Amino acid sequence: MELEGDDLKAVLNRLRRAQGQIAGVIRMIEEGRDCEDVVTQLAAASRALDRAGFAIIATGLQKCVADIEAGRTNGEEATRMRTRMEKLFLSLA
C-alpha cells in the first residue's frame, strides 16, 4: 500500500508531531520534570502515533474497497485483504 498526496502529508505531519512530543518527553525526564507532566506528554505522543496508524489503515481499507468495487480483486483475494486489514487494525487496538 502506498500513501499519496494529502494522505501522505497528513500521516507524515502526525508522525513528526509524535517525534517532537517524544523528544519533549525525553527532555522532561532528563530535566526531572513532574511525573504527571511527563505522562501527559507521553499520552499525547501515543495518540499521535495511533492516529497515524489509523490513517494508514483507513487508506488501505479505502483502496481495498475501491479494488473490489472495480472488479480488480476476486473473492479469495478480498478475503485475504480483509484479514490483513483486520490484523493491522487490531495491532493498534
Side-chain angles (χ1 to χ4, degrees), residues 13-44:
N13 285 340
R14 289 183 191 283
L15 291 173
R16 286 187 183 106
R17 184 177 306 127
Q19 184 179 35
Q21 290 167 326
I22 291 169
V25 169
I26 292 169
R27 193 170 41 257
M28 292 169 79
I29 291 171
E30 290 173 343
E31 294 170 355
R33 296 276 298 274
D34 181 64
C35 178
E36 187 176 341
D37 294 339
V38 172
V39 170
T40 299
Q41 189 68 17
L42 193 57

Side-chain angles (χ1 to χ4, degrees), residues 45-79:
S46 179
R47 282 190 304 273
L49 289 172
D50 286 346
R51 286 178 173 253
F54 287 129
I56 290 169
I57 291 170
T59 301
L61 287 172
Q62 186 177 19
K63 183 181 179 334
C64 289
V65 168
D67 285 351
I68 290 168
E69 288 178 349
R72 292 186 292 255
T73 303
N74 62 36
E76 184 178 322
E77 190 175 337
T79 301

